[in-house]
Amino acid sequence: MAHPNDDSAAVRVRGLVKRYGDLVAVNGLDLDIANGECFGLLGPNGAGKTTTVEILEGLLPCDAGDVTILGRTWRDGRKLRQRIGIALQETHLADRLTVHETVTMFRSFFDRGRTPDQVIALVGLEDKRDAWVVKLSGGQRQRLAIACALVGDPELLFLDEPTTGLDPQSRRRLWDVVSDFRGQGRSCILTTHYMEEAERLCDRVAIIDHGRIIAQGTPTHLIGQLGGTQVVEFRASPDVDEVFCRSLPGVSGISRFQQRWRLTVVALNRTVPALVDALRDRGADLADLTTHQASLEDVFIALTGRALRGDA
Amino acid sequence: MSPLGHLILARLREFYREPAALFWTYGFPTLLALALGLAFRGGDGRATPIAVIEGPFASERAAVLAQDPGLSVRTVSPRDVDSLFLGGGIVLAVGADPALEYRFDDTHPESEAVRRRVDDHLQRAAGRIDPLPTRDRPVTAPGSRYIDFLIPGLIGMNIMSSSMWGIGYTIVEARKRRLLKRLAATPMRHGDFLLSFILARLIFLATEVAILLAFAVLVFDVVVQGSWLWIAALSVAGAMAFAGLAMLAASRTQSTETVSGLMNLIMLPMWVLSGVFFASSHFPDWMQPMIKPLPLTLLNDAMRAVINEGATSAQVALPFAVLSVGAALTRVVAVRVFRWN
Ligand SMILES: Nc1ncnc2c1ncn2[C@@H]1O[C@H](COP(=O)(O)OP(=O)(O)OP(=O)(O)O)[C@@H](O)[C@H]1O
Ligand SMILES: [Mg+2]
């Protein structure tokens, strides 16, 4: 179903600031999300993701900045609420209502939308349709929360850590739900700690730390910025230094993470044999050698204060 | 169905699916009425226990008094008298001397009447001739027993506590679970949410009051002297006043412990002062100006006037109006200051 658009941007944010006393939770954040785009916010605990998202949802006031959602501001909020769907990071719905009763109640708040049974099936809770919320598992409750977010057939969906605590199968099912949603040309903002999820679902991601965006782009673009496509991790005893790492062939990035060296490399078959030889020449033992395809995880580690720069 | 309809339905379901709430709303007040009604049953022909202290005149006096079926007489040794008084075993003791000596606890409500009655029996037996013949005809006026006093107070107390707990606690719990925030994130009208509590409360109220009154009428033969319409009107006004107080207490409170404390702070003084179990006129005069305007006092006094004395509209219009205005004011302020997260 096509939605009338009076603006091409789903979300436009300029200079967003939110303070809690002395703590600056969001520190001058700009964001542009196009219609039909699925956008991911990544960042460590306390980075300011939830705070940002709740300001965008019109649930928290900000201290400075401009927020435009679907071409409107929160000053004319009620109409806007009809067009967005929200799953908060944490909500306990009423204990003694059934799944179907809960979704039906949420449906009644929207002028239009899908039937409760449709969204219950979408998140795979048909079996639990008539079970009380208090009797659901944590993951099932999370899926119910997402059903409630979808029941108003929103143009823009906010999901704050939608798959935290879900088993792999439920997570995959939810990915399908979000993919379908995006496939209908709608927009979505999600926060997550799972890089795989962001890579799979998001057209673009932003990495947030201390309330600022420190990197932004498509997952491929961000991984490309690492300068290599493979990552080599190792530990040596006695330990080696950064100069040693830089001397190896094909190394484009060096970081230190949990007492291990992390090298971003262009080709494993050039770097790994050279590493083994160089350590043998020094009489150092090689421990814990692992390699993997570079992912957003590596971008995250390279950027969120665990980068070599500034480290000992 | 409208969003408001769904919200009310949710309130009703949450309530009847919670056994503890059902008990405190319906079971507890009825049990309390039953227990207190049985304990303080009056006019049931139970004789008043008195004693005659052992001595030369004891058996003669005991025989005279035994003729009154309203008295239960025993002869006791002087040593036992004090302990019998302490335990409430006797109300009055007749001394052993030739001159009549009555010992009684003058704070006991029945003692004066018993003293007069015993004295009459013994004086007449000793030959006193009353100048005018007298005849006793005891009147058990409807609405004068303890249970008659108790029932309107219990109705008032129940309206207060179920309105306060049902609304105040539930709202704060929803805020703590971030359910309020989640609802505020939908296009739901904020007013509908609070209104659903009010309307659901009215539905519970009708059953609560009806059950307690039916129980009183059927089990204790309580007679409703006044208008049922006024009982309903006062119940609604009282419930709305307490609902307003509950919303005010819950409007910004973050923890259920805090709101429980707050509501107990509001309710406890009224339980004691507002004439639930005993008349508030027992408190000294200087306290009365503080007790009279309490919402539960207004409700209890008006309810008692209607049920026991058949009060007219003119007599209860004022408390009704005060409760209604209080309900409106508290509600307006509560909606103003209400926090959704
Ligand atoms: N109500 C509040 N009062 C004070 N500080 C707060 C409040 N809410 C959040 N904060 C602080 O703001 C910062 C950002 O919190 P936020 O919840 O946005 O983090 P997040 O990125 O969502 O983290 P997580 O991944 O753990 O969910 C944190 O340091 C947090 O302690
Ligand atoms: Mg968060």
Side-chain angles (χ1 to χ4, degrees):
Chain A
M1 196 199 295
H3 294 281
N5 290 319
D6 41 19
D7 196 291
S8 66
V11 174
R12 198 184 118 99
V13 176
R14 290 292 175 274
L16 192 65
V17 176
K18 175 73 184 176
R19 293 188 198 89
Y20 290 112
D22 287 344
L23 185 120
V24 186
V26 179
N27 190 359
L29 193 129
D30 297 336
L31 209 57
D32 283 286
I33 300 170
N35 258 318
E37 193 174 27
C38 183
F39 193 89
L41 291 178
L42 310 183
N45 290 136
K49 304 180 294 294
T50 299
T51 307
T52 304
V53 167
E54 290 192 351
I55 293 171
L56 300 192
E57 292 164 345
L59 295 174
L60 267 183
C62 59
D63 293 311
D66 294 314
V67 174
T68 317
I69 306 289
L70 299 169
R72 291 171 182 272
T73 65
W74 279 110
R75 271 188 292 279
D76 47 3
R78 187 158 310 282
K79 279 199 189 124
L80 200 44
R81 296 233 169 269
Q82 290 285 354
R83 299 165 65 193
I84 65 174
I86 291 176
L88 299 176
Q89 181 165 1
E90 202 185 347
T91 312
H92 300 274
L93 296 160
D95 276 347
R96 287 182 162 76
L97 296 183
T98 68
V99 167
H100 187 260
E101 287 163 0
T102 303
V103 180
T104 306
M105 182 180 81
F106 273 87
R107 171 67 186 84
S108 77
F109 303 145
F110 292 88
D111 294 340
R112 43 172 211 89
R114 307 199 217 184
T115 68
D117 281 314
Q118 271 175 337
V119 287
I120 288 171
L122 214 54
V123 298
L125 282 177
E126 300 99 318
D127 294 354
K128 296 287 174 185
R129 183 185 184 277
D130 297 313
W132 287 3
V133 170
V134 72
K135 305 232 166 106
L136 299 182
S137 74
Q140 289 164 341
R141 283 180 207 188
Q142 203 136 346
R143 279 143 68 189
L144 173 59
I146 288 159
C148 293
L150 288 169
V151 77
D153 201 19
E155 294 166 53
L156 172 60
L157 184 62
F158 290 93
L159 301 173
D160 197 351
E161 296 193 26
T163 63
T164 302
L166 293 194
D167 63 45
Q169 200 187 341
S170 309
R171 178 170 299 154
R172 238 162 268 276
R173 184 196 270 275
L174 220 89
W175 289 350
D176 291 342
V177 171
V178 176
S179 297
D180 284 352
F181 183 81
R182 199 182 56 165
Q184 295 162 13
R186 304 179 191 208
S187 328
C188 171
I189 298 179
L190 64 88
T191 74
T192 183
H193 290 290
Y194 300 103
M195 303 306 137
E196 192 193 352
E197 183 166 297
E199 281 167 43
R200 199 179 268 243
L201 292 179
C202 299
D203 301 304
R204 284 191 306 140
V205 299
I207 295 178
I208 299 191
D209 200 19
H210 300 301
R212 288 174 178 281
I213 293 182
I214 54 173
Q216 190 172 184
T218 65
T220 338
H221 171 75
L222 289 178
I223 294 165
Q225 280 185 337
L226 288 172
T229 58
Q230 304 287 332
V231 176
V232 176
E233 282 184 74
F234 71 95
R235 196 158 58 194
S237 65
D239 209 349
V240 293
D241 58 9
E242 194 187 340
V243 178
F244 169 85
C245 296
R246 196 168 294 147
S247 70
L248 298 169
V251 173
S252 58
I254 303 168
S255 60
R256 181 108 171 140
F257 181 56
Q258 291 172 353
Q259 274 101 55
R260 294 153 66 102
W261 289 102
R262 269 175 95 91
L263 312 178
T264 320
V265 305
V266 183
L268 287 178
N269 56 1
R270 272 179 67 202
T271 312
V272 174
L275 170 67
V276 173
D277 290 345
L279 285 175
R280 193 190 316 112
D281 292 349
R282 292 185 157 218
D285 282 336
L286 179 63
D288 291 350
L289 177 74
T290 61
T291 70
H292 63 262
Q293 189 105 32
S295 70
L296 276 179
E297 188 100 48
D298 302 295
V299 179
F300 183 89
I301 288 167
L303 289 172
T304 52
R306 292 155 195 163
L308 181 68
R309 187 171 26 90
D311 242 43
Chain B
M1 206 195 307
S2 70
L4 181 60
H6 278 281
L7 285 166
I8 294 174
L9 209 55
R11 300 282 86 75
L12 298 182
R13 285 174 170 144
E14 282 167 6
F15 178 73
Y16 73 74
R17 289 173 185 172
E18 172 80 63
L22 282 176
F23 171 75
W24 287 109
T25 310
Y26 297 121
F28 178 70
T30 315
L31 285 178
L32 201 59
L34 183 66
L36 292 172
L38 287 178
F40 296 97
R41 199 162 31 162
D44 59 346
R46 208 165 42 137
T48 308
I50 59 170
V52 177
I53 297 171
E54 280 170 2
F57 309 100
S59 60
E60 188 188 323
R61 286 173 178 172
V64 169
L65 294 171
Q67 285 170 6
D68 183 341
L71 299 174
S72 143
V73 190
R74 59 209 278 196
T75 310
V76 299
S77 80
R79 275 175 292 121
D80 297 335
V81 176
D82 286 338
S83 62
L84 278 170
F85 270 116
L86 270 181
I90 54 171
V91 175
L92 173 136
V94 182
D97 296 343
L100 281 169
E101 181 201 54
Y102 300 118
R103 294 172 60 183
F104 57 91
D105 174 2
D106 69 355
T107 62
H108 192 286
E110 287 177 60
S111 57
E112 282 289 351
V114 173
R115 183 211 170 276
R116 227 175 302 121
R117 186 158 163 182
V118 169
D119 190 48
D120 281 348
H121 288 311
L122 295 177
Q123 299 289 5
R124 282 188 197 131
R128 181 181 83 187
I129 299 188
D130 294 327
L132 290 173
T134 58
R135 193 156 46 123
D136 289 342
R137 213 170 80 194
V139 180
T140 326
S144 67
R145 300 165 304 164
Y146 181 61
I147 188 75
D148 297 307
F149 175 87
L150 186 65
I151 289 295
L154 281 184
I155 291 176
M157 184 184 82
N158 199 33
I159 288 174
M160 174 173 79
S161 47
S162 56
S163 297
M164 296 287 281
W165 290 114
I167 294 179
Y169 192 87
T170 314
I171 287 180
V172 174
E173 170 120 323
R175 183 181 291 118
K176 192 170 124 183
R177 297 162 147 249
R178 299 170 38 74
L179 180 55
L180 286 190
K181 191 176 202 169
R182 179 64 189 90
L183 290 172
T186 70
M188 179 191 79
R189 281 174 204 285
H190 291 189
D192 279 359
F193 179 73
L194 296 176
L195 193 59
S196 75
F197 279 90
I198 299 284
L199 296 178
R201 188 93 284 285
L202 289 180
I203 296 172
F204 302 137
L205 180 73
T207 51
E208 274 165 46
V209 175
I211 287 178
L212 206 51
L213 263 182
F215 178 82
V217 170
L218 297 176
V219 177
F220 288 111
D221 302 318
V222 170
V223 179
V224 175
Q225 308 282 339
S227 133
W228 289 87
L229 219 58
W230 267 115
I231 296 179
L234 286 169
S235 302
V236 170
M240 295 301 96
F242 290 116
L245 277 178
M247 279 189 188
L248 210 52
S251 58
R252 291 190 167 200
T253 313
Q254 295 288 339
S255 86
T256 45
E257 289 82 1
T258 309
V259 81
S260 302
L262 208 56
M263 291 196 305
N264 277 327
L265 202 67
I266 297 174
M267 290 193 287
L268 263 171
M270 290 196 263
W271 273 327
V272 179
L273 300 173
S274 293
V276 176
F277 300 103
F278 54 91
S280 54
S281 57
H282 283 292
F283 290 101
D285 285 346
W286 61 268
M287 286 179 75
Q288 296 300 331
M290 284 172 268
I291 297 175
K292 284 272 184 274
L294 293 174
L296 188 58
T297 317
L298 290 171
L299 179 60
N300 283 350
D301 289 353
M303 201 65 110
R304 226 159 246 147
V306 171
I307 295 179
N308 294 342
E309 293 152 28
T312 60
S313 300
Q315 289 171 280
V316 289
L318 183 66
F320 174 79
V322 173
L323 288 172
S324 305
V325 170
L329 286 182
T330 44
R331 179 112 189 281
V332 166
V333 176
V335 169
R336 273 274 152 92
V337 301
F338 199 84
R339 282 261 168 87
W340 290 85
N341 57 29

